[in-house]
Structure formats: C-alpha cells, structure tokens
Amino acid sequence: MARVIVDVMLKPEILDPQGQAIARALPRLGFAGVSAVRQGKRFEIELDGPADESALADVRKMAETLLANTVIEDYVVRVEG
C-alpha cells in the first residue's frame, strides 16, 4: 500500500484572489513579514498496491482529468514516505 500526494497550484500567471485575501489578513492578525501567498489544493491518494510507474501514470491521468484544471493549474505528483 502506498500514498501518493498530488499538489495543485494556480499557474504563476493566474491571479490568486484567495491568496491575496490571506496575505492582506495576516498583518491584521499579527503576522508580519509575508509578501505574498498562493493558495492550492493537496490530494492524498491511497493505492492498493505499490507506487510503481504504472500506478503513478494512472495518478497523473487522474490529476489531468479530474483533480486539476490544467488550463489554469499546475500539479505535482509525489510518493509520500
């Protein structure tokens, strides 16, 4: 059994209003020194078998098909542990 992580983030050229709102709120909450925030999504996928190349190819296909909007988002697939 393996756990695969898919991190999804807006592409750098895409405006991130949620990240901007967080960045503006941090100083009001007493957190200084933050110049920018980008918000993303993290998916943890438990595989029934090992995280071999075939399984990782399937996870990448999941990311491209469902987990990320590849027009505006990038994703990274990695094995945890």
Side-chain angles (χ1 to χ4, degrees):
M1 189 173 215
R3 176 179 290 179
V4 178
I5 307 299
V6 180
D7 291 311
V8 179
M9 295 292 294
L10 286 171
K11 291 182 178 183
E13 62 271 18
I14 302 297
L15 181 67
D16 182 0
Q18 289 178 301
Q20 291 175 337
I22 293 166
R24 286 191 305 270
L26 289 173
R28 291 193 306 265
L29 297 171
F31 298 101
V34 176
S35 59
V37 175
R38 303 280 295 172
Q39 182 191 343
K41 301 178 279 190
R42 172 186 164 120
F43 298 92
E44 296 182 1
I45 299 171
E46 298 282 340
L47 301 177
D48 289 334
D52 56 17
E53 274 309 310
S54 175
L56 292 177
D58 285 345
V59 172
R60 283 192 280 284
K61 187 68 173 173
M62 290 176 209
E64 291 173 12
T65 305
L66 178 65
L67 304 180
N69 177 348
T70 57
V71 173
I72 62 169
E73 295 173 318
D74 291 325
Y75 66 90
V76 176
V77 175
R78 61 188 168 86
V79 178
E80 185 174 77

